[in-house]
Amino acid sequence: MPKTSQNSEFVDQRLQERFSMKLPVRVSTGTDSDLTVQFEGVIANISAGGAFIGTDNPLPVSSKVYLEFLISLQELKKLKFILSLETLRRFKSDQAWIKASGVIIRHQSNGMAIIFDDDYQLTPLHASDC
């Protein structure tokens, strides 16, 4: 259900719960086969449907972006968006690399909001990746 603040002009239309997490992220543009890293930053908050990345130099609205970030399986379970809990239980490490793509939908003074596409990739972190 949308939340309305005391200022009735603002309506929060998010469908998924949003979590404050400070996750290092690499933001790239291009195509799946030819990506160019634009910057490395921090995901300030994230949900199953998108993320907000803190930056002083956001990319243009409507830009297609590719994100790579490391997340603990505990945090991943909160998000409930990549895999079932049964699949997550099969992981032998406690962290995973996430690859997600999406589109920048808005800017704010401290960053940019991204809505995710539906095709996430999850790769368990191995000891050799540390």
Side-chain angles (χ1 to χ4, degrees), residues 22-72:
K22 304 298 182 212
L23 303 171
V25 63
R26 178 177 298 136
V27 179
S28 301
T29 58
T31 64
D32 286 332
S33 61
D34 186 28
L35 294 178
T36 302
V37 175
Q38 296 298 320
F39 67 89
E40 293 185 6
V42 175
I43 293 175
N45 62 60
I46 190 169
S47 74
F52 185 83
I53 298 175
T55 180
D56 293 333
N57 298 305
L59 298 170
V61 170
S62 299
S63 295
K64 176 79 169 184
V65 292
Y66 298 84
L67 308 178
E68 291 180 84
F69 57 94
L70 185 64
I71 189 169
S72 74

Side-chain angles (χ1 to χ4, degrees), residues 74-117:
Q74 282 301 105
E75 291 170 327
L76 186 60
K77 287 175 188 176
K78 288 182 201 175
L79 295 175
K80 301 175 187 169
F81 75 112
I82 302 293
L83 297 171
S84 69
L85 290 178
E86 181 179 320
T87 302
L88 289 173
R89 285 187 191 111
R90 290 188 227 147
F91 277 67
K92 300 204 181 346
S93 63
D94 62 351
Q95 292 184 310
W97 283 105
I98 304 296
K99 290 185 179 184
S101 59
V103 175
I104 298 171
I105 57 171
R106 76 172 186 282
H107 295 157
Q108 289 178 210
S109 61
N110 59 343
M112 60 187 185
I114 296 166
I115 188 169
F116 292 140
D117 296 334

Side-chain angles (χ1 to χ4, degrees), residues 14-18 47-50:
R14 293 184 185 122
L15 299 176
Q16 295 95 4
E17 185 175 1
R18 188 162 290 270
S47 74

Side-chain angles (χ1 to χ4, degrees), residues 115-129:
I115 188 169
F116 292 140
D117 296 334
D118 291 333
D119 55 345
Y120 307 101
Q121 292 179 19
L122 179 73
T123 306
L125 180 68
H126 300 288
S128 62
D129 295 335

